[in-house]
Amino acid sequence: MDVLTNDKRIEIMRRMLRSRLFEQAVIRSYNAGEFPGSAHTSIGQEACTVGACIALEAGDYMIGTHRSHGHSVANNADVNGLMAELFGRSTGVNHGKGGSMHLADRAVGSLGETSIVGSGLPIACGAGLAAQLKGTDRVALVFYGDGAANEGAAHEAMNLAAVWNLPVIFVLENNGVAVTALSTESAKEPDLYKRAVGYGMPGEKVDGQDPEAVYAAVSAAIGRARRGDGPSLIELKTYRMREHAEGVLLEQFAATNYRDPDEHRIWVEQRDPVKNYAAKLLSDGVLDEHAYEELQAEERQRIDDAVAFAKSSPYPDPSEAFTGVYSTPL
C-alpha cells in the first residue's frame, strides 16, 4: 500500500468536498426543474467513494451504482462533463443520453453506472477477465449496496470471480437501507462481509465514514488482486443522509419514520464524513483554517463553473438519436 502522504490526504479532502458540493448543486438544480429524470445522491457516503477510488491507479476500472454521482466525482472525472450529462446536454460524458444514473467516463476508467440494481458486478468480472487475459495488472473495483447484495447477479459474479481468480474488488456500501427496506429486514446476518467465506475470498468490515480506513482496506485488496491473488469483498458501514432520491414524493418517506429519527440525527450531526475529516486534518496540522477555506472556495467555484457550463451547452441534435445505440448504424 502506498504511504498516505499529506498531499494525498489533502486530495482526499478535496474530492470529498467536490462530491458534497456537486451533489448539493444537483439538488438545487433538480428542485428548480432544470433537468429531467431522477437524482440519487450519496451525501454522507463520500468517505466510501473517495477513500476507495483514490487507491486506484491510471488504467484501472471502476463501476458504480445507480447512486452514481459520487463515484464518478471521486474517481476524478471531469465535473463539467458530469454536470452537463445530468442536464441532458451534448457536452455531457455520454453526450446527454445517459443522465444521472448512467454516467461513464472512459478517460478515468469509469466503465459506467446503471439503474439496474446489482448489474455492475458481472461487468466488473468482465473487466477483470479482460485484464487477466491480456496479462496486465489492471484491477476492477465495483461498488454495490446492501440491496444489491441480495440480487442473484451479485452472488453469481462473486462466485465466478473467486473461481476464475479475477482481479476484482467488490466494495459493498452498506448504508443500511434499500429505498425504505432496512438491511436488518432483508438479511438475517447484519455483517454482509461474512458472505466472502462462502465464495472463498477475503472479506473485511470497515468504517465507511473514515476515508483513510477505506483507503487502507481497498489498497490492500488491490495489492492482492495485482499479485494474482484474486478478488476481495470489503463492506463499508455508512449512511445515506438524504432520501432514496430527490423529489417531493420521496421526501414523504421520511415522515413514515422507516429510519429511526434519533439514529438519523446522530449520523447527520456526529458522523458526517466531510466535516469529520476536515476536523481531523486541521487537528493533525495537515491544513490550517486559511488553507481549508481556500480549498472550499476553489471547489465551490469549480462546481459553479460546471453548472454554468452545463446550462450554456446545447442539447443533442435529434439526428444523433440512434448514434451509439446499435453496433451497425441505422
Side-chain angles (χ1 to χ4, degrees), residues 119-323:
S119 63
L121 286 81
I123 294 172
C125 288
L129 179 61
Q132 187 184 75
L133 292 174
K134 291 178 180 179
T136 72
D137 67 349
R138 290 181 172 182
V139 303
L141 187 152
V142 57
F143 293 93
Y144 66 111
D146 46 288
N150 294 322
E151 290 285 344
H155 295 286
E156 292 166 3
M158 284 187 274
N159 185 62
L160 185 69
V163 171
W164 287 357
N165 208 47
L166 299 178
V168 180
I169 299 89
F170 298 99
V171 179
L172 168 54
E173 293 179 278
N174 189 346
N175 60 23
V177 61
V179 189
T180 59
L182 301 180
S183 58
T184 52
E185 298 172 348
S186 58
K188 185 70 173 179
E189 170 55 59
D191 290 330
L192 302 181
Y193 78 96
K194 293 179 180 178
R195 295 180 180 182
V197 174
Y199 304 123
M201 68 175 74
E204 184 177 359
K205 178 173 68 173
V206 178
D207 178 4
Q209 305 307 88
D210 181 351
E212 294 188 11
V214 174
Y215 172 80
V218 173
S219 292
I222 288 174
R224 290 193 294 270
R226 290 201 203 283
R227 292 192 301 270
D229 293 336
S232 302
L233 167 57
I234 299 171
E235 180 183 8
L236 307 179
K237 298 291 190 179
T238 186
Y239 198 79
R240 188 195 74 205
M241 293 185 177
R242 303 284 297 182
E243 285 307 308
H244 172 66
E246 297 306 309
V248 175
L249 176 62
L250 291 165
E251 288 172 1
Q252 292 174 354
F253 286 158
T256 67
N257 289 337
Y258 68 94
R259 293 191 291 189
D260 181 84
D262 290 333
E263 179 187 67
H264 180 74
R265 178 181 51 78
I266 290 171
W267 278 93
V268 171
E269 294 179 359
Q270 301 178 22
R271 304 223 59 210
D272 184 324
V274 177
K275 292 180 180 178
N276 289 351
Y277 195 58
K280 179 178 177 62
L281 295 191
L282 290 167
S283 175
D284 290 350
V286 177
L287 288 172
D288 58 28
E289 291 286 353
H290 177 69
Y292 183 57
E293 288 173 4
E294 284 191 336
L295 198 65
Q296 289 177 299
E298 289 171 6
E299 292 307 318
R300 284 196 189 96
Q301 188 61 56
R302 187 192 304 271
I303 300 307
D304 288 346
D305 291 345
V307 173
F309 174 80
K311 289 182 177 180
S312 65
S313 296
Y315 288 101
D317 190 278
S319 65
E320 297 182 3
F322 294 104
T323 302

Side-chain angles (χ1 to χ4, degrees), residues 18-43 66 68-70 73 79 82-87 99-101 103 242 245-247 251 303-304 306-307 310-311:
R18 187 181 304 164
S19 182
R20 175 66 60 88
L21 293 167
F22 183 96
E23 296 209 296
Q24 288 174 340
V26 167
I27 292 168
R28 290 193 297 271
S29 293
Y30 182 84
N31 289 335
E34 293 178 330
F35 64 82
S38 58
H40 300 69
T41 66
S42 56
I43 289 176
H66 67 285
S68 60
H69 317 142
V73 175
V79 291
L82 294 176
M83 192 67 76
E85 185 61 35
L86 268 67
F87 277 74
S100 172
M101 289 193 285
L103 301 172
R242 303 284 297 182
E246 297 306 309
E251 288 172 1
I303 300 307
D304 288 346
V307 173
K311 289 182 177 180

